[in-house]
Amino acid sequence: MANSKASVPKGTRDFSPAEMVKRNYIFDTIKSVFRKYGYLEIQTPSMENLSTLTGKYGDEGDKLIFKILNSGDFWGEAENKKQKAESFEFNSKGLLPMLSEKALRYDLTVPFARYVVMHQNEITFPFKRFQVQPVWRADRPQKGRYREFYQCDADMVGSESLLNEAEFVMIYQEALGMLGLKDFTIKINNRKILSGIAEIIGKPELIVDMTVAIDKLDKIGLDGVVKELLERGFTSRDIEKLKPVILSEGSNEEKLASLKSVLTTSDTGLKGIEEIETILGYLESFSVYSPQSLSSDSLSAGIQQPATQNPSAAPGSQSATLNLQLDITLARGLNYYTGAIFEVKTNEVAMGSIGGGGRYDDLTGMFGLKGLTGAGISFGADRIYDVMEELQLFPESTSETTKVLITNFDAQAERYALPVLQELRNKGISAELYPTSAKMKKQLSYADNKKIPYVILIGSEEIQSGRLTLKDMKSGVQEQLTREELTGKIK
Amino acid sequence: MANSKASVPKGTRDFSPAEMVKRNYIFDTIKSVFRKYGYLEIQTPSMENLSTLTGKYGDEGDKLIFKILNSGDFWGEAENKKQKAESFEFNSKGLLPMLSEKALRYDLTVPFARYVVMHQNEITFPFKRFQVQPVWRADRPQKGRYREFYQCDADMVGSESLLNEAEFVMIYQEALGMLGLKDFTIKINNRKILSGIAEIIGKPELIVDMTVAIDKLDKIGLDGVVKELLERGFTSRDIEKLKPVILSEGSNEEKLASLKSVLTTSDTGLKGIEEIETILGYLESFSVYSPQSLSSDSLSAGIQQPATQNPSAAPGSQSATLNLQLDITLARGLNYYTGAIFEVKTNEVAMGSIGGGGRYDDLTGMFGLKGLTGAGISFGADRIYDVMEELQLFPESTSETTKVLITNFDAQAERYALPVLQELRNKGISAELYPTSAKMKKQLSYADNKKIPYVILIGSEEIQSGRLTLKDMKSGVQEQLTREELTGKIK
């Protein structure tokens, strides 16, 4: 019992100062890029009415929603007075409404849709918002899967323009580049192309089955996909039609050209191709993408090809190179997305997707506001953290760390130190005086553990000469400096 | 039902972009000051084990803890297997352990104590941490009282030095000054002085009753306090001894002198006085406080006195002036604090306390780690927000707002605009292109609503001349500028 008192619920985590510095570095970087593209922050409450959340995530999702017990006696707050009076059966369905009317948010998307509907008269559309807040899921905890974790989303509602999609690609590129990732692939697909393919095969009703199967190409290979397609109601003949499409190689332009020839009779399919081309066109105008006819899909083909002058042809060669790949097998969240679909993967570390998103045409419909199109992306902050840790991309010290510790030798030195401390802080430098005259070893190890880069030593000699000793903790070098020299040096 | 779907639970709030900009301004300012003084951020999970929280906030507090329903079937996660098998009685005590084992945090202090005990082997003491996270209380919602609100705490554990207390005064002074507050009072008291007074009266066992009563002096006046003291077991004779102490006027130094003469026979009382003097001594060494013998307590005496050369004698005359007042009636959270007690009040707006804190000698004892002293302060962010709103202290635009909107005249102008947009963003300027060629009025009102200070107009004339029109949204002034001039101007 004593032990359980100093523990956290399973699937939840404390974040130490060192971890917070790194997490803030990720969040602050991504937020700054969101802002640069005109996205503004909102926050929604941690708890939503249970009725807002249930039925939005499927049966499996509903089970993973953390419900909050009504406070007071269990009947105290039930808004349906009639229900209170009724006798109840003790099973989860009969009891639940009396026990719980609120729940912790499961994602940021449904609360955002609720926000837009609730505040529609105050909002100027197109509304570009970002949101970085924790979400909670009663999932079985396991490595890398938590019951409380942060989501990091940017969404736009109210504009059909594909400029939004192009900018999402740029936001990924810029934010991940700023974080130091050098080799990552932004995959793009379009729901309308997938619909077109299902149409051409003559099985439009099986589009979900088709995409669920081909989405697994990376994991289970072509044979696995074929097996699954057969199980899901496709014939061998259908599959023969599908094969060249899902196995198509080459640059985005080559893939688009071959898709165009396949989808000639599907208006929906051609619309999807046109949307991809428009997005690529925007990126070209922004000078971050160049079309090409050479095969650039070297990674999935397993062949390293020589770098060309073309910036999009040399994946990973520079942090500034956009590696955008049309991937017909990409289908994440198909039931949700109606246009573009995005996914981001790092090629430097074995890791699932570190971001994803797309266009959804009727986000707010679930709350009764029809006809408002939206598009959004998400960053997988926990996975990005793990990638950066593995690649050692976190900066050694940041503005969040204390810059200088003044050691405390004795009462006289302490008194002498106080105005020095004040002067440093007045110059905007984070500074501490060790609060007692503990052993010097202890004080230096305090600086070391807190990753404080500089230590000022003040003893009787320093007080007499008026020059302070500055120790660089990394190099170990000590210098005697005047107070003016000191602040200049540290800044 | 449709309505309830687009609503939030009572006592909770959405924060719009405009509100978030202001909230971030407050939090970022306070965090930057915490960091300057060597405090580092941590975060703890939103949910704690119920056993961590219960019994820490008194019976009333326990009732206000939001409990989380066990997921799956109600018995699914109960850790006490025996309990699961037992039959249950349907009452809150019998049922609760099976229904709920987790709860939302009620404050940041208990989770911090749990954190320190749990991570004691990784922590370098003294440990200076700050934490800015929401807390949840099942309080009856009312104006200014929410069921989810942010706390903003800095605490230090493991150092007895009163330098920590002195720095808390400076943190309040600096953070509130940076936020633009000009006239606020930092009140200081010491639990040991209160103990000493109860001792001198001969009723040490009634210390809580005494302090609860005199704490109300501001609200119910002297007569009210006398009445309450009589009800709480003090005699008229006790009260006659108490009166001069609680009504003592004058500067901090005058009050300390008169207290010293009253408390001569109380070692505890004299220790309390000494602690206050040490804290004032530190502040004097930092050059932010000057002792004085004149009466500075002009506000509570209701007399405006002329400003003197003494910086602490002229409350509110300058933002840089420290207005620190010893207030013997200050007793907040007495059962908790063992040394210094702080409270901050603004004098510009009628509002409760906007901050408070103090020294507590055994914070981690509740989790079995004895003998670790601590001290901490808290900022009341919601109240500070309201004060700043009323005094119009929020800056008009911040780095969080989009700096420039490029209007979208037609397809040709859009294409022309894209490299301009890219150039602005490459220079670190937050910029947007309106995503469609909507009516100009609509585009300008978008800029207006988002408080975007600059708009770039691109039409056929601009494309021909290569000079862009920049409109200053505040002054309405339009200028024709080259692209180079433009970025310089906006930056």
Side-chain angles (χ1 to χ4, degrees), chain A residues 106-179:
Chain A
Y106 179 87
D107 70 359
L108 302 178
T109 310
V110 170
F112 173 55
R114 193 266 310 143
Y115 179 98
V116 170
V117 176
M118 192 169 151
H119 302 279
Q120 54 185 287
N121 298 325
E122 307 143 35
I123 291 172
T124 314
F125 293 97
F127 183 47
K128 296 163 86 173
R129 86 87 174 78
F130 76 84
Q131 199 170 347
V132 178
Q133 289 192 278
V135 302
W136 295 268
R137 295 182 185 179
D139 246 323
R140 189 177 297 274
Q142 59 186 58
K143 192 174 157 22
R145 190 196 285 166
Y146 302 100
R147 291 185 150 191
E148 174 177 46
F149 58 96
Y150 271 69
Q151 285 193 338
C152 193
D153 288 13
D155 292 83
M156 173 288 314
V157 280
S159 159
E160 287 173 10
S161 168
L162 296 162
L163 174 62
N164 297 293
E165 276 86 341
E167 292 192 337
F168 283 139
V169 171
M170 295 168 77
I171 288 172
Y172 272 133
Q173 181 68 11
E174 187 162 343
L176 296 174
M178 279 172 77
L179 291 172

Side-chain angles (χ1 to χ4, degrees), chain A residues 73-368:
Chain A
D73 67 297
F74 300 143
W75 292 270
E77 285 188 41
E79 297 198 0
N80 182 339
K81 306 274 178 190
K82 194 152 166 262
Q83 208 170 39
K84 289 185 200 180
E86 280 170 13
S87 68
F88 61 90
E89 286 172 74
F90 187 70
N91 62 50
S92 66
K93 265 200 181 160
L95 194 55
L96 187 59
M98 274 168 282
L99 287 175
S100 170
E101 290 156 354
K102 292 181 289 293
L104 294 176
R105 76 177 151 249
Y106 179 87
D107 70 359
L108 302 178
T109 310
V110 170
F112 173 55
R114 193 266 310 143
Y115 179 98
V116 170
V117 176
M118 192 169 151
H119 302 279
Q120 54 185 287
N121 298 325
E122 307 143 35
I123 291 172
T124 314
F125 293 97
F127 183 47
K128 296 163 86 173
R129 86 87 174 78
F130 76 84
Q131 199 170 347
V132 178
Q133 289 192 278
V135 302
W136 295 268
R137 295 182 185 179
D139 246 323
R140 189 177 297 274
Q142 59 186 58
K143 192 174 157 22
R145 190 196 285 166
Y146 302 100
R147 291 185 150 191
E148 174 177 46
F149 58 96
Y150 271 69
Q151 285 193 338
C152 193
D153 288 13
D155 292 83
M156 173 288 314
V157 280
S159 159
E160 287 173 10
S161 168
L162 296 162
L163 174 62
N164 297 293
E165 276 86 341
E167 292 192 337
F168 283 139
V169 171
M170 295 168 77
I171 288 172
Y172 272 133
Q173 181 68 11
E174 187 162 343
L176 296 174
M178 279 172 77
L179 291 172
L181 272 67
K182 289 197 174 44
D183 184 6
F184 53 91
T185 304
I186 303 173
K187 292 183 176 186
I188 186 169
N189 195 10
N190 193 298
R191 156 80 183 231
K192 297 187 181 83
I193 294 179
L194 292 168
S195 298
I197 296 169
E199 229 176 78
I200 294 296
I201 296 172
K203 298 263 168 75
E205 74 284 2
L206 288 185
I207 177 172
V208 173
D209 292 272
M210 180 188 88
T211 50
V212 166
I214 66 176
D215 195 31
K216 295 180 185 163
L217 185 64
D218 272 2
K219 282 185 196 153
I220 60 176
L222 183 61
D223 291 349
V225 171
V226 168
K227 192 167 161 258
E228 186 157 341
L229 285 168
L230 288 169
E231 284 167 10
R232 287 174 177 269
F234 288 88
T235 64
S236 300
R237 206 170 154 182
D238 297 339
I239 294 168
E240 284 315 303
K241 277 193 204 161
L242 199 52
K243 264 188 190 169
V245 179
I246 65 174
L247 294 177
S248 77
E249 295 282 334
S251 69
N252 296 331
E253 287 67 32
E254 286 167 336
K255 287 183 193 169
L256 286 168
S258 85
L259 272 173
K260 244 182 241 179
S261 67
V262 173
L263 296 175
T264 33
T265 61
S266 165
D267 287 349
T268 308
L270 291 176
K271 181 87 174 77
I273 292 172
E274 192 195 315
E275 287 187 9
I276 299 267
E277 286 175 339
T278 304
I279 295 166
L280 297 180
Y282 274 119
L283 294 170
E284 213 183 320
S285 295
F286 277 123
S287 304
V288 296
Y289 179 82
S290 313
Q292 54 158 340
S293 45
L294 294 168
S295 168
S296 78
D297 199 5
S298 59
L299 284 165
S300 58
I303 302 157
Q304 280 298 343
Q305 60 173 65
T308 69
Q309 297 138 289
N310 191 315
S312 64
S317 61
Q318 293 166 252
S319 68
T321 304
L322 175 64
N323 183 0
L324 179 68
Q325 291 183 4
L326 173 61
D327 180 352
I328 297 303
T329 68
L330 177 65
R332 53 184 291 143
L334 180 82
N335 299 320
Y336 198 67
Y337 296 121
T338 52
I341 305 171
F342 298 110
E343 187 167 84
V344 186
K345 287 192 170 172
T346 168
N347 304 314
E348 298 175 275
V349 175
M351 181 72 67
S353 99
I354 55 172
R359 166 76 61 166
Y360 36 82
D361 268 344
D362 192 24
L363 178 69
T364 56
M366 57 175 121
F367 298 113

Side-chain angles (χ1 to χ4, degrees), chain A residues 32-106:
Chain A
S32 76
V33 177
F34 285 160
R35 289 196 178 106
K36 204 178 191 181
Y37 284 79
Y39 285 79
L40 301 179
E41 186 167 18
I42 70 160
Q43 286 189 347
T44 62
S46 302
M47 33 178 97
E48 292 279 349
N49 290 319
L50 198 47
S51 59
T52 300
L53 303 184
T54 42
K56 308 302 188 302
Y57 306 105
D59 286 349
E60 279 311 302
D62 275 0
K63 281 185 200 154
L64 302 183
I65 294 172
F66 272 116
K67 291 153 197 90
I68 294 162
L69 208 56
N70 288 341
S71 49
D73 67 297
F74 300 143
W75 292 270
E77 285 188 41
E79 297 198 0
N80 182 339
K81 306 274 178 190
K82 194 152 166 262
Q83 208 170 39
K84 289 185 200 180
E86 280 170 13
S87 68
F88 61 90
E89 286 172 74
F90 187 70
N91 62 50
S92 66
K93 265 200 181 160
L95 194 55
L96 187 59
M98 274 168 282
L99 287 175
S100 170
E101 290 156 354
K102 292 181 289 293
L104 294 176
R105 76 177 151 249
Y106 179 87

Side-chain angles (χ1 to χ4, degrees), chain B residues 70 72 100 155 191 223 234 247 365 428:
Chain B
N70 289 340
S100 170
D155 292 83
R191 156 78 184 234
D223 291 349
F234 288 88
L247 293 178

